[in-house]
Coordinates of all heavy atoms in Angstrom, one line a residue:
Q351 N -25.7 3.2 -2.8 CA -25.5 3.2 -1.4 C -24.0 3.2 -1.0 O -23.7 3.7 0.1 CB -26.2 1.9 -0.7 CG -27.7 2.0 -0.7 CD -28.3 1.6 -2.1 OE1 -27.6 1.3 -3.1 NE2 -29.7 1.5 -2.1
F352 N -23.2 2.6 -1.9 CA -21.8 2.6 -1.5 C -21.0 3.9 -1.7 O -19.9 4.0 -1.3 CB -21.0 1.4 -2.3 CG -21.4 0.0 -2.0 CD1 -22.4 -0.6 -2.8 CD2 -20.9 -0.5 -0.9 CE1 -22.8 -1.9 -2.4 CE2 -21.3 -1.8 -0.5 CZ -22.2 -2.5 -1.4
S353 N -21.6 4.8 -2.4 CA -21.1 6.1 -2.5 C -21.7 7.1 -1.6 O -21.4 8.3 -1.7 CB -21.1 6.6 -4.0 OG -22.4 6.6 -4.4
A354 N -22.6 6.7 -0.7 CA -23.3 7.6 0.3 C -22.2 7.9 1.4 O -21.5 7.0 1.9 CB -24.5 6.9 0.8
L355 N -22.2 9.2 1.8 CA -21.3 9.6 2.8 C -22.1 10.1 4.0 O -23.2 10.5 4.0 CB -20.4 10.8 2.3 CG -19.6 10.5 1.0 CD1 -18.9 11.9 0.6 CD2 -18.6 9.4 1.3
T356 N -21.5 10.0 5.2 CA -22.2 10.4 6.4 C -21.8 12.0 6.5 O -21.1 12.5 5.7 CB -21.5 9.7 7.7 OG1 -20.1 10.2 7.8 CG2 -21.5 8.1 7.6
R357 N -22.5 12.6 7.5 CA -22.2 14.0 7.7 C -20.8 14.4 7.8 O -20.3 15.4 7.5 CB -23.0 14.5 8.9 CG -24.6 14.7 8.5 CD -25.2 15.3 9.7 NE -26.6 15.7 9.4 CZ -27.4 16.3 10.3 NH1 -27.0 16.5 11.5 NH2 -28.6 16.7 9.9
M358 N -19.9 13.4 8.5 CA -18.6 13.7 8.7 C -17.7 13.4 7.4 O -16.4 13.4 7.5 CB -18.1 12.8 9.8 CG -18.8 13.2 11.1 SD -18.6 15.0 11.5 CE -16.8 15.0 11.9
G359 N -18.5 12.8 6.3 CA -17.7 12.6 5.1 C -17.0 11.3 5.0 O -15.9 11.3 4.2
T360 N -17.5 10.3 5.6 CA -17.0 8.9 5.5 C -18.0 8.1 4.9 O -19.1 8.1 5.1 CB -16.6 8.4 6.9 OG1 -17.8 8.3 7.7 CG2 -15.5 9.3 7.6
P361 N -17.5 7.2 3.9 CA -18.4 6.2 3.2 C -18.7 5.0 4.1 O -18.0 4.0 3.9 CB -17.6 5.9 2.0 CG -16.2 5.9 2.4 CD -16.2 7.0 3.4
L362 N -19.6 5.2 4.9 CA -19.9 4.1 6.0 C -20.2 2.7 5.4 O -19.6 1.7 5.8 CB -21.2 4.5 6.8 CG -21.6 3.5 7.9 CD1 -20.5 3.2 8.9 CD2 -22.9 4.0 8.6
N363 N -21.1 2.6 4.4 CA -21.4 1.4 3.8 C -20.2 0.7 3.1 O -20.0 -0.5 3.2 CB -22.6 1.6 2.8 CG -23.8 1.9 3.4 OD1 -24.1 1.7 4.5 ND2 -24.6 2.8 2.6
A364 N -19.4 1.5 2.5 CA -18.1 0.9 1.9 C -17.1 0.5 2.9 O -16.5 -0.5 2.7 CB -17.5 2.0 1.0
I365 N -17.1 1.2 4.0 CA -16.3 0.7 5.1 C -16.7 -0.6 5.7 O -15.9 -1.5 6.0 CB -16.1 1.8 6.1 CG1 -15.4 3.0 5.7 CG2 -15.4 1.3 7.5 CD1 -15.4 4.2 6.6
I366 N -18.0 -0.7 5.9 CA -18.6 -1.9 6.6 C -18.3 -3.1 5.6 O -17.9 -4.2 6.1 CB -20.1 -1.8 6.7 CG1 -20.4 -0.7 7.9 CG2 -20.7 -3.1 7.1 CD1 -21.8 -0.5 8.1
V367 N -18.6 -3.0 4.3 CA -18.4 -4.1 3.4 C -16.9 -4.5 3.3 O -16.6 -5.6 3.1 CB -19.0 -3.7 2.0 CG1 -18.7 -4.7 0.9 CG2 -20.5 -3.6 2.1
S368 N -16.0 -3.4 3.3 CA -14.6 -3.8 3.2 C -14.1 -4.5 4.4 O -13.3 -5.4 4.3 CB -13.8 -2.5 3.0 OG -14.1 -1.8 1.8
M369 N -14.7 -4.1 5.6 CA -14.3 -4.9 6.8 C -14.9 -6.3 6.8 O -14.3 -7.2 7.2 CB -14.9 -4.1 8.0 CG -14.6 -4.8 9.3 SD -12.8 -4.7 9.9 CE -12.8 -3.1 10.6
A370 N -16.1 -6.4 6.2 CA -16.6 -7.8 6.0 C -15.9 -8.7 5.1 O -15.6 -9.8 5.3 CB -18.1 -7.7 5.6
G371 N -15.3 -8.0 4.0 CA -14.5 -8.6 3.1 C -13.2 -9.1 3.8 O -12.7 -10.3 3.5
G372 N -12.6 -8.4 4.7 CA -11.5 -8.8 5.4 C -11.8 -9.9 6.3 O -10.9 -10.9 6.5
A373 N -13.0 -10.0 6.9 CA -13.3 -11.2 7.7 C -13.6 -12.3 6.9 O -13.1 -13.5 7.3 CB -14.7 -10.8 8.5
A374 N -14.1 -12.2 5.7 CA -14.2 -13.4 4.9 C -12.9 -13.9 4.3 O -12.7 -15.1 4.3 CB -15.0 -13.0 3.6
S375 N -11.9 -13.0 4.1 CA -10.6 -13.5 3.8 C -9.9 -14.2 4.9 O -9.2 -15.3 4.7 CB -9.8 -12.2 3.4 OG -8.3 -12.5 3.3
L376 N -10.1 -13.7 6.2 CA -9.7 -14.4 7.3 C -10.2 -15.8 7.4 O -9.5 -16.7 7.8 CB -9.9 -13.5 8.6 CG -9.6 -14.1 9.9 CD1 -8.1 -14.4 10.0 CD2 -10.0 -13.2 11.1
L377 N -11.4 -16.0 7.3 CA -12.1 -17.3 7.4 C -11.5 -18.1 6.3 O -11.3 -19.4 6.7 CB -13.6 -17.1 7.2 CG -14.4 -16.5 8.4 CD1 -15.8 -16.4 8.1 CD2 -14.2 -17.2 9.8
S378 N -11.3 -17.6 5.1 CA -10.8 -18.5 4.1 C -9.4 -19.0 4.5 O -9.0 -20.1 4.1 CB -10.7 -17.8 2.7 OG -9.8 -16.7 2.7
S379 N -8.6 -18.2 5.2 CA -7.2 -18.4 5.6 C -7.3 -19.8 6.7 O -6.3 -20.4 6.8 CB -6.5 -17.5 6.1 OG -7.0 -17.0 7.5
V380 N -8.4 -19.9 7.3 CA -8.6 -20.9 8.3 C -9.1 -22.1 7.7 O -8.6 -23.2 8.0 CB -9.5 -20.4 9.5 CG1 -9.8 -21.6 10.5 CG2 -8.9 -19.3 10.2
F381 N -10.2 -22.0 6.8 CA -11.0 -23.2 6.4 C -10.5 -23.7 5.0 O -10.8 -24.8 4.6 CB -12.4 -22.9 6.3 CG -13.0 -22.6 7.7 CD1 -13.4 -21.4 8.1 CD2 -13.2 -23.7 8.6 CE1 -13.9 -21.1 9.4 CE2 -13.7 -23.5 9.9 CZ -14.1 -22.2 10.2
A382 N -9.9 -22.7 4.1 CA -9.5 -23.1 2.9 C -8.0 -22.5 2.5 O -7.9 -21.7 1.5 CB -10.4 -22.7 1.7
P383 N -7.1 -22.8 3.3 CA -5.8 -22.1 3.1 C -5.0 -22.4 1.9 O -4.3 -21.5 1.3 CB -4.9 -22.6 4.4 CG -5.6 -23.9 4.7 CD -7.0 -23.7 4.4
D384 N -5.3 -23.6 1.3 CA -4.6 -24.1 0.1 C -5.3 -23.8 -1.1 O -4.8 -24.2 -2.3 CB -4.2 -25.6 0.3 CG -3.3 -25.9 1.5 OD1 -2.4 -25.0 1.8 OD2 -3.5 -26.9 2.1
T385 N -6.5 -23.3 -1.0 CA -7.3 -23.0 -2.3 C -7.6 -21.5 -2.4 O -7.0 -20.8 -3.0 CB -8.5 -23.9 -2.3 OG1 -9.2 -23.7 -1.0 CG2 -8.1 -25.4 -2.4
I386 N -8.8 -21.2 -1.7 CA -9.2 -19.9 -1.8 C -8.3 -18.8 -1.3 O -8.0 -17.7 -2.0 CB -10.6 -19.7 -1.1 CG1 -11.6 -20.6 -1.6 CG2 -11.1 -18.2 -1.1 CD1 -13.0 -20.6 -0.9
Y387 N -7.7 -19.0 -0.1 CA -6.8 -18.0 0.5 C -5.5 -17.9 -0.3 O -5.0 -16.8 -0.5 CB -6.4 -18.4 1.9 CG -5.7 -17.3 2.6 CD1 -6.4 -16.0 3.0 CD2 -4.5 -17.5 3.0 CE1 -5.7 -15.0 3.6 CE2 -3.7 -16.5 3.7 CZ -4.3 -15.2 4.0 OH -3.6 -14.2 4.6
L388 N -5.0 -19.0 -0.9 CA -3.9 -19.0 -1.7 C -4.1 -18.1 -2.9 O -3.2 -17.3 -3.3 CB -3.5 -20.4 -2.0 CG -2.2 -20.5 -3.0 CD1 -1.0 -19.9 -2.4 CD2 -2.0 -22.0 -3.5
A389 N -5.3 -18.3 -3.6 CA -5.6 -17.6 -4.7 C -5.6 -16.1 -4.3 O -5.1 -15.1 -5.1 CB -6.9 -18.0 -5.3
L390 N -6.4 -15.7 -3.2 CA -6.5 -14.3 -2.9 C -5.1 -13.6 -2.6 O -4.8 -12.6 -3.1 CB -7.3 -14.2 -1.5 CG -8.8 -14.6 -1.7 CD1 -9.5 -14.6 -0.3 CD2 -9.6 -13.7 -2.7
V391 N -4.2 -14.3 -1.9 CA -2.9 -13.8 -1.5 C -2.1 -13.6 -2.8 O -1.4 -12.6 -3.0 CB -2.2 -14.7 -0.6 CG1 -0.8 -14.3 -0.4 CG2 -3.0 -14.6 0.8
S392 N -2.2 -14.6 -3.7 CA -1.5 -14.5 -4.9 C -1.9 -13.3 -5.8 O -1.0 -12.6 -6.4 CB -1.6 -15.8 -5.7 OG -1.1 -16.9 -5.0
I393 N -3.2 -13.2 -5.9 CA -3.8 -12.0 -6.7 C -3.3 -10.7 -6.1 O -3.0 -9.8 -6.8 CB -5.2 -12.2 -6.8 CG1 -5.7 -13.4 -7.5 CG2 -5.8 -10.9 -7.5 CD1 -7.2 -13.7 -7.5
S394 N -3.5 -10.6 -4.8 CA -3.1 -9.3 -4.2 C -1.6 -9.0 -4.2 O -1.1 -7.8 -4.4 CB -3.4 -9.3 -2.6 OG -2.7 -10.3 -2.0
G395 N -0.7 -9.9 -4.4 CA 0.6 -9.8 -4.5 C 1.0 -9.2 -5.8 O 1.9 -8.3 -6.0
L396 N 0.3 -9.7 -6.9 CA 0.5 -9.3 -8.3 C -0.1 -7.9 -8.5 O 0.3 -7.1 -9.4 CB 0.1 -10.3 -9.2 CG 0.2 -10.0 -10.6 CD1 1.7 -10.0 -11.1 CD2 -0.5 -11.0 -11.6
A397 N -1.2 -7.7 -7.7 CA -2.1 -6.5 -8.0 C -1.3 -5.2 -7.9 O -1.6 -4.2 -8.6 CB -3.3 -6.6 -7.0
V398 N -0.4 -5.1 -6.9 CA 0.3 -3.8 -6.7 C 1.1 -3.4 -7.8 O 0.9 -2.3 -8.2 CB 1.3 -4.0 -5.3 CG1 2.1 -2.7 -5.3 CG2 0.4 -4.2 -4.1
V399 N 1.8 -4.4 -8.4 CA 2.6 -4.1 -9.6 C 1.7 -3.7 -10.8 O 2.0 -2.8 -11.6 CB 3.5 -5.3 -10.0 CG1 4.3 -5.0 -11.2 CG2 4.4 -5.6 -8.8
V400 N 0.6 -4.4 -10.9 CA -0.3 -4.0 -12.0 C -0.9 -2.6 -11.9 O -1.1 -1.9 -12.7 CB -1.5 -5.0 -12.1 CG1 -2.6 -4.6 -13.1 CG2 -0.9 -6.4 -12.5
V401 N -1.2 -2.3 -10.6 CA -1.8 -0.9 -10.3 C -0.7 0.1 -10.6 O -1.0 1.1 -11.2 CB -2.3 -0.8 -8.8 CG1 -2.5 0.6 -8.5 CG2 -3.5 -1.6 -8.6
W402 N 0.6 -0.1 -10.3 CA 1.6 0.8 -10.6 C 1.7 0.9 -12.1 O 2.0 2.1 -12.6 CB 2.9 0.3 -10.0 CG 3.0 0.5 -8.5 CD1 2.1 1.0 -7.7 CD2 4.1 0.2 -7.6 NE1 2.5 1.0 -6.4 CE2 3.8 0.5 -6.3 CE3 5.3 -0.4 -7.9 CZ2 4.6 0.2 -5.2 CZ3 6.3 -0.7 -6.8 CH2 5.8 -0.2 -5.4
M403 N 1.6 -0.1 -12.8 CA 1.8 0.0 -14.3 C 0.6 0.8 -14.8 O 0.9 1.6 -15.8 CB 1.6 -1.5 -14.9 CG 2.8 -2.3 -14.6 SD 2.8 -4.0 -15.3 CE 3.3 -3.7 -17.0
S404 N -0.6 0.7 -14.3 CA -1.6 1.5 -14.7 C -1.5 3.0 -14.4 O -1.9 3.8 -15.2 CB -3.0 1.1 -14.1 OG -3.1 1.6 -12.8
I405 N -0.7 3.3 -13.3 CA -0.5 4.7 -13.1 C 0.5 5.3 -14.1 O 0.2 6.5 -14.6 CB 0.2 4.8 -11.6 CG1 -0.8 4.4 -10.5 CG2 0.7 6.2 -11.4 CD1 -0.3 4.4 -9.2
A406 N 1.6 4.6 -14.4 CA 2.5 5.0 -15.5 C 1.8 5.1 -16.8 O 2.0 6.2 -17.6 CB 3.7 4.1 -15.5
A407 N 1.0 4.2 -17.2 CA 0.3 4.2 -18.5 C -0.6 5.4 -18.5 O -0.8 6.1 -19.6 CB -0.3 2.9 -18.7

Side-chain angles (χ1 to χ4, degrees):
Q351 287 83 355
F352 291 100
S353 57
L355 303 178
T356 66
R357 281 185 170 181
M358 297 302 294
T360 59
L362 177 61
N363 295 328
I365 292 172
I366 292 173
V367 172
S368 297
M369 182 68 86
S375 170
L376 173 60
L377 291 175
S378 71
S379 70
V380 175
F381 296 105
D384 297 325
T385 53
I386 298 175
Y387 188 68
L388 176 62
L390 293 176
V391 171
S392 301
I393 294 168
S394 66
L396 182 65
V398 172
V399 177
V400 174
V401 168
W402 286 0
M403 293 178 79
S404 77
I405 292 172

